[in-house]
């Protein structure tokens, strides 16, 4: 239960009005962009954090859970030891990897990269929704969708990574925001009206 309390509670105790528990994943496998990320697809695990959640919130601030997915930037692609011990995990890409990924093929394992179909993106959006439900049930005030640092959302927004010509792609940022919009709809549909939802959204260029 004290998993993140020693790191976050001092901020709340010091008067921070908004505290984030960072780097959580809503899928049971895949999507891990760095070591040590929490898997919050498991409702029982999230409930086990309740004492730490309550301790942080006792100082009067709000606590949000950051949700994300690494997409093409995951450990099974670039971390050799992790890749070798997780041979069954695919790397999910929004589109075919950019040319520089292929240029680094001797260092990156592209053999398990799979471009997601519509059904994959829909399934992933629903996983975000279920994770948000777990967060709400666990006492969190909301979720923050990780939209920076090469996340799945940033890959969808980027015309470099997103070359899709279906409903999840297109020449404009609005069109490339279809996956993000679907995730927001899943979360809004399944969580209380006062449950907070934040993110970082890029400006159109």
């Amino acid at each position: 239960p004290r998993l993140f309390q020693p790191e976050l509670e001092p901020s709340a105790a010091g008067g921070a009005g908004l505290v984030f528990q960072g780097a959580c994943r809503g899928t049971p496998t895949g999507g891990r962009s760095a070591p040590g990320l929490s898997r919050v697809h498991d409702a029982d695990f999230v409930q086990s954090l309740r004492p730490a959640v309550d301790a942080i919130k006792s100082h009067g601030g709000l606590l949000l859970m950051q949700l994300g997915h690494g997409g093409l930037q995951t450990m099974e692609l670039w971390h050799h030891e992790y890749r070798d011990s997780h041979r069954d995990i695919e790397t999910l890409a929004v589109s075919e990897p950019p040319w520089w990924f292929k240029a680094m093929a001797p260092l990156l394992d592209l053999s398990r990269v799979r471009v997601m179909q519509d059904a994959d993106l829909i399934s992933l959006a629903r996983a975000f929704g279920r994770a948000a439900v777990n967060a709400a049930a666990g006492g969190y005030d909301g979720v923050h969708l990780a939209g920076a640092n090469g996340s799945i959302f940033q890959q969808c927004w980027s015309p470099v990574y997103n070359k899709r010509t279906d409903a999840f792609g297109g020449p404009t940022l609005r069109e490339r925001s279809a996956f993000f919009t679907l995730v927001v709809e899943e979360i809004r549909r399944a969580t209380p009206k006062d449950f907070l939802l934040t993110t970082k959204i890029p400006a159109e260029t």
Side-chain angles (χ1 to χ4, degrees), residues 72-73 94-96 98 100-101 155-156 158-163:
L72 195 56
Q73 307 277 15
V94 176
S95 299
E96 285 295 326
W100 59 84
F101 277 81
Q155 291 170 44
C156 284
S158 169
V160 175
Y161 283 90
N162 188 347
K163 301 292 186 182

Side-chain angles (χ1 to χ4, degrees), residues 13-38:
L18 183 61
V19 179
F20 293 83
Q21 178 192 344
C24 298
R25 296 291 174 268
T27 53
T29 60
R32 186 183 293 277
S33 54
L37 307 187
S38 298

Side-chain angles (χ1 to χ4, degrees), residues 26 28 40-41 123-135 186-187 190:
V40 294
H41 68 285
S123 177
L124 184 55
R126 289 174 178 167
F128 274 97
R130 290 190 296 271
V133 168
N134 292 343
E186 288 287 332
I187 293 173

Side-chain angles (χ1 to χ4, degrees), residues 4 34-35 93-94 112 119 129 132-133 137 149 160 169 182:
F4 55 88
V94 176
R112 289 180 291 166
V133 168
N149 303 318
V160 175
L182 183 59

Side-chain angles (χ1 to χ4, degrees), residues 116-150:
M116 289 184 282
Q117 302 297 312
D118 285 10
D120 297 311
L121 287 162
I122 292 170
S123 177
L124 184 55
R126 289 174 178 167
F128 274 97
R130 290 190 296 271
V133 168
N134 292 343
Y140 290 80
D141 298 292
V143 294
H144 173 81
L145 299 179
N149 303 318

Side-chain angles (χ1 to χ4, degrees), residues 37-176:
L37 307 187
S38 298
R39 296 281 183 190
V40 294
H41 68 285
D42 185 337
D44 290 338
F45 171 74
V46 177
Q47 283 295 326
S48 76
L49 302 177
R50 191 64 185 253
V53 171
D54 291 342
I56 292 167
K57 291 179 62 178
S58 69
H59 299 287
L62 301 174
L63 177 63
L64 270 61
M65 176 189 289
Q66 184 189 57
L67 296 176
H69 188 284
L72 195 56
Q73 307 277 15
T74 49
M75 289 179 63
E76 58 267 21
L77 183 68
W78 57 267
H79 192 289
H80 292 188
E81 183 177 346
Y82 184 84
R83 181 183 65 201
D84 291 342
S85 60
H86 295 80
R87 287 290 181 182
D88 57 330
I89 298 180
E90 292 181 308
T91 298
L92 300 179
V94 176
S95 299
E96 285 295 326
W99 66 265
W100 59 84
F101 277 81
K102 297 178 181 179
M104 293 190 293
L107 300 176
L108 304 178
D109 181 8
L110 300 179
S111 65
R112 289 180 291 166
V113 172
R114 180 171 65 83
V115 176
M116 289 184 282
Q117 302 297 312
D118 285 10
D120 297 311
L121 287 162
I122 292 170
S123 177
L124 184 55
R126 289 174 178 167
F128 274 97
R130 290 190 296 271
V133 168
N134 292 343
Y140 290 80
D141 298 292
V143 294
H144 173 81
L145 299 179
N149 303 318
S151 71
I152 191 69
F153 297 115
Q154 195 169 44
Q155 291 170 44
C156 284
W157 285 324
S158 169
V160 175
Y161 283 90
N162 188 347
K163 301 292 186 182
R164 301 179 74 97
T165 57
D166 59 11
F168 291 99
T172 69
L173 179 59
R174 180 178 294 274
E175 291 170 308
R176 296 191 301 274

